[in-house]
Amino acid sequence: MSAPSQQGPRAATRAIHGDDHLNETTDVAPALHVSTTYRYTNIPENLKTAAEYGNLALPEEHIYSRFSIANTTRLEATLTSLLSGPAITYASGLASFHALMTYFNPRRIAISGAYHGVHDNVTLFQRITGLEKCSFDDIETKLGKGDIVHLETPLNPTGEAYEIKVLADRAHKVGALLVVDSTFAPPPLQEPFRWGADVVMHSGTKYIGGHSDMLCGVLVLNPESKFVKNAGRVGDEQPLSAKETAGNLRFERGIIGGVMGNLEGWLGLRSVRTMGLRLERASKNAAELVRFLVELLEGEGEEARQVQKVLRKVTHASLQREEWLKEQMPAGFGPVFSIYTKTENQARRLPSKVKYFHHATSLGGVESLIEWRAMSDEHVDTTLLRISTGIEDVEDLKEDLKQGLLALAAEQKEVVV
Ligand SMILES: Cc1ncc(COP(=O)(O)O)c(C=O)c1O
């Protein structure tokens, strides 16, 4: 059970009631609003010019759906409460990263292992703004004020974790911001602000959506941090609070147009209520599957010997022994892990041997997925299969994976070393 937050209720309660103040009807379940435009007030004295509004994207008053809409505003209120800082949603995870880079416009970004689409996005900015891409090794020598360190943890696709505090300290020492892509471990699994992250990013398509039926991106700003717009390019601009910066990001989102659709906002609101339950279960399932597979990989019985003809390696944060990890991920190590087969052909064939793991990309849904990752990432080891554990009964998942590995082993004409 989590401790009460400073604001009062605990996370599971905030997931259900974080948007109560925006529920203006007697409906218990949120209504689905589909309008793209909203009537202005009928009282002429209360009409405001655009100049008087200042920021048309203020969510208190809906004007046009590129600025704000009812369900997404409620989703953002819930996420703001749950993720512990002002939260802004976007059309997808990559749209949120793009918005972040547009707003801060850094001269340099230090990024190492990260989702390949984020790297592709960085390439866009290299073309548009001359952004320089460095690795974590270059933080002390190349980064300066207004630059960005981008850490993804746990990492896609291996599911391995990296220490947020170490990167936060290194980034802050040179005046850079630390952005953490926490897609693989939303709360209750991981709270990057506790360890010094300035901005947290999520592909809400994954655990916030949770049912493989919506695209969503989220940026969350650390209420303790200060932010400078266009930080890498200007001199001594006045730093802004998280709340002011969220307003600016919302305004820019209205210009770029990268908003979630009405239906997605509604689906997100419906789904975020159960995120904690889903994550705890899926994460527990993943740790148990990993333990089971490692036991087969290191075991001595006949079944283990057969499995070893196929399985070469398993990676997941639950296998890491560093002390900091228990504090950074106290409630579980995330539902995604990877396995490596002995040959590329085995990796290509294993998905066809299992029945409870759909062969598909993405992750974060209630159903388990397996993906021969070479199909969507050209830089990855071609023997790697990424597994996104769902919330099925773990005993069925164990049996299914084992029989798949054994079926593949039975196909081997000779032992592959
Ligand atoms: C870690 C991570 N970050 C960002 C993204 C991009 O998210 P989206 O597909 O919602 O744009 C993904 C997608 O798989 C991801 O795994």
Side-chain angles (χ1 to χ4, degrees), residues 92-94 115 152 156 181 183-184 201 203 205-206 216 363:
S92 68
L94 285 189
Y115 176 60
E152 182 179 305
N156 188 356
D181 184 338
T183 296
F184 275 35
M201 170 192 149
S203 165
T205 311
K206 316 304 183 198
C216 165
L363 56 112

Side-chain angles (χ1 to χ4, degrees), residues 46 72 181 184 191 197 209 253 319 324 349 388 399 405:
N46 289 352
T72 301
D181 184 338
F184 275 35
E191 314 251 6
R253 182 186 64 181
L319 298 172
W324 56 263
R349 297 176 71 73
S388 167
E399 278 166 28
L405 289 162

Side-chain angles (χ1 to χ4, degrees), residues 55 57-59 76 80 85-88 90 103-104 219-221 227 240-253:
N55 186 346
L58 286 179
E76 287 177 345
T80 294
I88 310 113
Y90 292 89
Y103 185 80
F104 290 111
L219 292 181
V220 199
L221 302 170
F227 302 91
L240 299 177
S241 70
K243 205 167 163 204
E244 290 164 320
T245 304
N248 285 348
L249 280 166
R250 210 169 262 128
F251 178 71
E252 287 200 353
R253 182 186 64 181

Side-chain angles (χ1 to χ4, degrees), residues 125-198:
F125 281 94
Q126 287 179 292
R127 174 170 66 75
I128 300 168
T129 71
L131 174 74
E132 193 185 332
K133 181 173 166 179
C134 321
S135 80
F136 290 161
D137 293 339
D138 301 320
I139 292 174
E140 284 75 17
T141 51
K142 292 198 177 154
L143 260 61
K145 203 168 152 203
D147 289 334
I148 284 182
V149 176
H150 180 89
L151 169 68
E152 182 179 305
T153 186
L155 185 64
N156 188 356
T158 64
E160 290 166 318
Y162 295 84
E163 190 173 5
I164 297 170
K165 187 174 181 313
V166 168
L167 265 295
D169 291 346
R170 289 178 65 195
H172 295 158
K173 221 173 235 171
V174 297
L177 287 178
L178 178 68
V179 177
V180 173
D181 184 338
S182 196
T183 296
F184 275 35
L189 301 185
Q190 180 168 276
E191 314 251 6
F193 292 157
R194 280 191 63 197
W195 312 107
D198 300 290

Side-chain angles (χ1 to χ4, degrees), residues 280-325:
E280 276 175 19
R281 167 74 172 240
S283 188
K284 214 165 139 195
N285 278 0
E288 175 59 14
L289 277 178
V290 165
R291 192 200 58 74
F292 176 71
L293 290 173
V294 168
E295 216 170 85
L296 286 170
L297 193 58
E298 295 171 354
E300 286 175 356
E302 178 52 21
E303 263 183 4
R305 212 171 55 77
Q306 291 305 314
V307 166
Q308 288 158 19
K309 289 181 182 173
V310 179
L311 191 59
R312 179 166 64 88
K313 188 166 85 168
V314 184
T315 58
H316 188 230
S318 66
L319 298 172
Q320 293 174 234
R321 296 288 165 251
E322 293 102 318
E323 275 306 307
W324 56 263
L325 186 55

